[in-house]
């Protein structure tokens, strides 16, 4: 880097450390937050981050930091850095980083590695080809879009260019920069210019859009909305209302199209609504316009019932997506940014709407169950009250952990705005949202609420981190003393007497021991007051709810999918 240090305005190079050059590069790339766990081998980078404009947040576990980075990206739209030390620091973070890759987040992972002269000599937590596999962790493969080990400062310009190029892409980008400890402290003699790269979103040709419009006007069509369409909510609604098309959403896409809209027929796939299958059976469209979803197992279960008579017009930014889930179905593949495509498509439709047909569309059933004095709490009652107090009564981001938690939330909560609901139905790692609620609340600058099971809450939470930085995260724990999705699911598969039980924990005591606040709920009549208390609290807050374990969660489609794959007794 060049600094003006002379009185005659001539520039002379001033030596700075590699750590300082990297942190400056991250600042130029728009990084605002760095999450991680400290360690001696990463100390030069860690110290430099601590004294930069980047806000460093010290987590309690590397996986928690990586999960939190994923959701912090979705809440803020800015790339997040995750840092760890050598050895187990790296391996602990991998599950969270795989999640970032599956979710299409933008995360830069910076780790330490063993200095070259010490490799192969049993250094403490040695990180080298002698002790850890290189392929997949330190190379660009299925986990990292870009990965490299920085062996000298002269490589920095190329690293900067690669990171800038990756972050400029419209979809996700997960990178790994491994830096030997001695290199972090080395001096950089050459200048490192800022790299500003832009990437023009992929767009379909005018001819392709006209052909899509022609195909869709040949008969009735439905719109299947996925998470990749989240920036096109307004355009999709205009298209639906202009054409009268029925709209269904994947579990991750809840809220992109309003769930109270008369043209909304329901959520598809895991914990989805029976109204979708009723629509496909009774009002089968000629074609379905698929927008920004891979149509993977949890979105479709690859059900033949979801294939319209003339197949799909499938729009996605990734050209590998269309046709993959349903290889036998007729598919017109369009590589394009969804928002750009829908805006162009809108111009090619006359204004028309068949209101009588809209009124006859199947709709998800809504049944209100009134609270009682009963104990334990029925999950359906909890979700109804969460709808009123949290979904409708606040702007909080709501996220649901893998297991029965996300089954109940997907099926029963209703959203009318995009980007308010988060769920992972791809990688689906337990511990994702019990930790990432901290990152979401931090960068959302408001409440974030995680619906989690007791198993996930015991596995890996970051309540202490939230306390440390006064982050207004809320955990709603479905405490039933078991891995209840495994319990209910294994019984549906024909397996009996499986070991699924957990000693019932008191999560309020646990929260208070770390400096947070909380309340335990044992009766349905106490739910609303507890939720209201959590939402007005300025501290991290845990609502520990004793849940009725006998209420069967809407997980049947997942179990039937497993049985069809041979997982049965």
């Amino acid at each position: 880097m060049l600094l003006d240090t002379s009185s005659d305005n001539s520039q002379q190079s001033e030596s700075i450390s590699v750590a300082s050059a990297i942190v400056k590069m991250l600042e130029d790339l728009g990084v605002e937050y760095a999450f991680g766990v400290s360690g001696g081998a990463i100390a030069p980078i860690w110290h430099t981050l601590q004294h930069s404009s980047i806000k460093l947040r010290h987590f309690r576990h590397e996986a928690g930091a990586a999960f939190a980075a994923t959701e912090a990206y979705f809440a803020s739209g800015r790339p997040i850095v995750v840092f760890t030390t050598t050895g187990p620091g790296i391996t602990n973070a991998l599950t969270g980083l795989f999640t970032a890759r599956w979710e299409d987040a933008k995360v830069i992972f910076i780790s330490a590695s063993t200095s070259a002269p010490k490799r192969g000599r049993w250094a403490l937590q040695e990180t080298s080809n002698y002790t850890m596999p290189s392929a997949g962790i330190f190379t660009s493969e299925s986990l990292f879009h870009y990965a490299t080990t920085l062996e000298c400062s002269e490589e920095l310009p190329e690293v900067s260019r690669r990171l800038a190029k990756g972050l400029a892409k419209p979809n996700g980008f997960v990178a790994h920069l491994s830096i030997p400890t001695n290199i972090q402290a080395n001096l950089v003699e050459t200048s490192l210019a800022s790299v500003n790269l832009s990437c023009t979103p992929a767009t379909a040709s005018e001819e392709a859009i006209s052909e899509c419009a022609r195909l869709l006007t040949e008969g009735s069509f439905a719109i299947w909305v996925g998470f990749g369409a989240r920036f096109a909510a307004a355009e999709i609604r205009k298209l639906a209302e202009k054409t009268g098309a029925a709209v269904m959403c994947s579990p991750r896409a809840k809220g992109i199209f309003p769930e109270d809209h008369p043209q909304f027929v329901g959520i598809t796939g895991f914990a989805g609504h029976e109204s979708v299958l009723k629509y496909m059976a009774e009002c089968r469209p000629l074609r379905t316009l698929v927008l920004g979803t891979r149509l993977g197992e949890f979105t479709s279960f690859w059900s033949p019932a979801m294939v319209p008579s003339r197949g799909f017009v499938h729009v996605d930014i990734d050209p590998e997506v269309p046709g993959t889930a349903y290889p036998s179905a007729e598919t017109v593949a369009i590589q394009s940014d969804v928002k750009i495509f829908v805006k162009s498509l809108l111009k090619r439709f006359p204004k028309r709407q068949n209101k009588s047909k809209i009124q006859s569309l199947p709709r998800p059933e809504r049944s209100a169950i009134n609270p009682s004095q009963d104990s334990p709490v029925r999950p359906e009652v909890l979700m109804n009250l969460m709808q009123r107090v949290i979904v409708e009564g606040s702007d909080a981001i709501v996220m649901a952990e893998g297991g029965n938690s996300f089954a109940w939330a997907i099926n029963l909560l209703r959203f009318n705005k995009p980007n308010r609901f988060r769920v992972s139905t791809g990688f689906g790692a337990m511990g994702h949202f019990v930790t990432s609620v901290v990152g979401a609340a931090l960068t959302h600058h408001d409440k974030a609420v995680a619906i989690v099971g007791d198993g996930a809450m015991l596995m890996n939470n970051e309540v202490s981190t939230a306390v440390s930085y006064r982050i207004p995260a809320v955990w709603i724990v479905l405490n039933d003393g078991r891995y209840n999705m495994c319990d209910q699911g294994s019984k549906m598969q024909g397996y009996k007497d499986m070991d699924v039980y957990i000693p019932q924990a008191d999560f309020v005591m646990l929260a208070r021991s770390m400096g947070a606040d909380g309340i335990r709920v044992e009766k349905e009549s106490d739910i609303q007051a507890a939720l209201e208390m959590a939402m007005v609290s300025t501290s991290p807050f845990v609502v520990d709810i004793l849940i009725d374990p006998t209420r069967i969660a809407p997980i049947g489609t997942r179990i039937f999918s497993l049985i069809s794959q041979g997982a049965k007794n």
Side-chain angles (χ1 to χ4, degrees):
M1 294 194 174
L2 297 178
L3 299 175
D4 186 2
T5 58
S6 65
S7 58
D8 61 358
N9 293 326
S10 64
Q11 288 188 323
Q12 299 176 347
S13 83
E14 177 179 310
S15 297
I16 63 171
S17 70
V18 168
S20 295
I22 288 171
V23 171
K24 177 63 169 63
M25 175 183 69
L26 296 173
E27 291 173 328
D28 291 343
L29 290 170
V31 173
E32 186 178 5
Y33 283 96
F35 302 158
V37 179
S38 58
I42 196 68
I45 295 284
W46 170 33
H47 179 268
T48 308
L49 283 168
Q50 183 82 54
H51 295 85
S52 71
S53 66
I54 296 172
K55 302 177 184 70
L56 185 144
R57 297 295 180 259
H58 201 179
F59 278 65
R60 308 301 175 250
H61 194 276
E62 293 87 353
F67 285 134
T70 299
E71 296 308 317
Y73 164 72
F74 286 118
S76 67
R78 299 171 70 105
I80 308 294
V81 163
V82 175
F83 65 91
T84 73
T85 190
T86 49
I90 296 169
T91 56
N92 282 348
L94 290 180
T95 301
L97 294 167
F98 269 111
T99 296
R101 175 68 184 254
W102 276 65
E103 295 292 320
D104 280 335
K106 291 185 176 177
V107 173
I108 300 172
F109 178 44
I110 297 181
S111 71
S113 59
T114 302
S115 303
K118 309 300 181 185
R119 294 171 192 167
R121 299 170 59 191
W122 300 109
L124 178 64
Q125 298 178 340
E126 180 168 335
T127 301
S128 71
N129 287 334
Y130 291 96
T131 57
M132 294 180 70
S134 176
I137 299 179
F138 302 97
T139 57
S140 305
E141 292 186 13
S142 55
L143 172 52
F144 297 110
H145 295 91
Y146 169 63
T148 190
T149 299
L150 189 75
E151 298 289 6
C152 64
S153 61
E154 285 76 11
E155 296 174 339
L156 279 172
E158 177 62 11
V159 169
S160 179
R161 187 188 71 82
R162 293 286 192 111
L163 292 178
K165 182 179 179 181
L167 293 173
K169 293 180 179 179
N171 45 359
F173 179 69
V174 182
H176 181 194
L177 181 56
S178 174
I179 314 170
T181 301
N182 63 321
I183 300 296
Q184 296 175 45
N186 281 358
L187 297 179
V188 178
E189 302 291 346
T190 58
S191 62
L192 182 61
S194 298
V195 178
N196 295 307
L197 295 176
S198 61
C199 184
T200 303
T203 58
S205 68
E206 292 296 317
E207 293 78 8
I209 295 170
S210 294
E211 177 62 10
C212 288
R214 185 189 69 78
L215 293 173
L216 296 174
T217 53
E218 285 184 344
S220 66
F221 74 93
I223 303 173
W224 198 343
V225 180
F227 185 65
R230 63 193 181 279
F231 300 118
E235 290 77 14
I236 292 169
R237 180 167 182 167
K238 288 179 183 177
L239 179 64
E241 292 176 347
K242 197 171 188 179
T243 62
V247 182
M248 48 197 171
C249 294
S250 73
R252 288 207 304 163
K254 282 173 70 70
I256 294 176
F257 190 82
E259 293 190 66
D260 62 357
H261 195 284
Q263 288 169 250
F264 180 70
V265 297
I267 299 297
T268 67
F270 177 78
H273 300 128
E274 292 182 4
S275 51
V276 172
L277 294 177
K278 183 178 180 182
Y279 164 74
M280 293 300 296
E282 298 178 358
C283 315
R284 196 176 197 83
L286 186 68
R287 290 185 173 88
T288 295
L289 175 62
V290 181
L291 301 173
T293 168
R294 302 182 183 102
L295 299 183
E297 182 179 9
F298 265 37
T299 294
S300 70
F301 289 108
W302 310 300
S303 170
M306 296 303 296
V307 181
S309 54
R310 292 298 302 276
F312 303 108
V313 175
H314 197 153
V315 183
D316 202 279
I317 199 73
D318 185 348
E320 299 298 319
V321 166
T324 299
Y326 286 98
S328 299
E330 182 179 343
T331 300
V332 176
I334 302 291
Q335 184 187 10
S336 177
D337 173 86
V338 172
K339 183 172 183 176
I340 293 173
F341 175 86
V342 176
K343 287 180 73 172
S344 297
L345 190 64
L346 273 166
K347 301 173 184 176
R348 290 163 171 81
F349 280 99
K351 187 173 183 180
R352 62 179 177 85
Q353 189 177 69
N354 188 337
K355 292 187 177 180
S356 61
K357 184 177 179 181
I358 290 172
Q359 291 170 356
S360 67
L361 288 174
R363 302 273 294 123
E365 293 183 4
R366 309 295 188 200
S367 58
I369 305 176
N370 294 323
S372 69
Q373 293 292 326
D374 294 342
S375 179
V377 171
R378 290 167 291 176
E380 302 96 315
V381 176
L382 172 62
M383 294 298 144
N384 279 338
L385 290 168
M386 284 191 63
Q387 178 72 34
R388 184 189 312 166
V389 175
I390 297 175
V391 178
E392 298 170 7
S394 79
D395 292 322
I397 295 173
V398 179
M399 41 191 59
E401 185 68 79
N404 279 1
S405 299
F406 70 177
W408 290 117
I410 290 167
N411 188 263
L412 296 178
L413 295 182
R414 304 176 300 282
F415 292 86
N416 295 326
K417 294 180 181 178
N419 304 317
R420 284 208 54 202
F421 180 70
R422 285 287 298 136
V423 66
S424 174
T425 54
F427 202 55
M430 283 183 67
H432 180 157
F433 291 106
V434 295
T435 56
S436 63
V437 65
V438 175
L442 180 67
T443 56
H444 181 53
H445 305 294
D446 201 350
K447 292 279 186 181
V449 178
I451 309 165
V452 308
D454 51 341
M457 193 69 176
L458 287 166
M459 184 175 290
N460 181 19
N461 67 70
E462 293 285 345
V463 174
S464 175
T465 304
V467 170
S468 181
Y469 300 105
R470 299 186 60 81
I471 299 170
V474 175
W475 291 261
I476 297 177
V477 185
L478 279 58
N479 189 350
D480 51 23
R482 67 200 68 196
Y483 294 108
N484 207 8
M485 187 181 192
C486 297
D487 185 19
Q488 295 178 0
S490 62
K491 288 174 181 175
M492 291 180 189
Q493 291 169 265
Y495 296 99
K496 308 295 183 183
D497 303 319
M498 304 290 277
D499 183 9
V500 296
Y501 298 97
I502 306 169
Q504 198 156 55
D506 187 328
F507 292 102
V508 175
M509 290 183 65
L510 181 63
R512 288 177 177 165
S513 74
M514 292 186 279
D517 201 357
I519 186 170
R520 171 167 273 203
V521 176
E522 299 182 5
K523 296 186 300 182
E524 292 177 352
S525 55
D526 295 334
I527 298 172
Q528 182 166 338
L531 296 178
E532 290 171 348
M533 186 183 301
M535 296 307 290
V536 299
S537 174
T538 58
S539 302
F541 201 97
V542 173
V543 184
D544 184 9
I545 301 183
L546 298 188
I547 286 288
D548 183 351
T550 67
R551 305 294 287 193
I552 303 299
I555 61 173
T557 48
R558 164 63 171 164
I559 303 306
F560 296 148
S561 178
L562 286 172
I563 291 172
S564 71
Q565 297 172 55
K568 63 179 179 179
N569 189 10

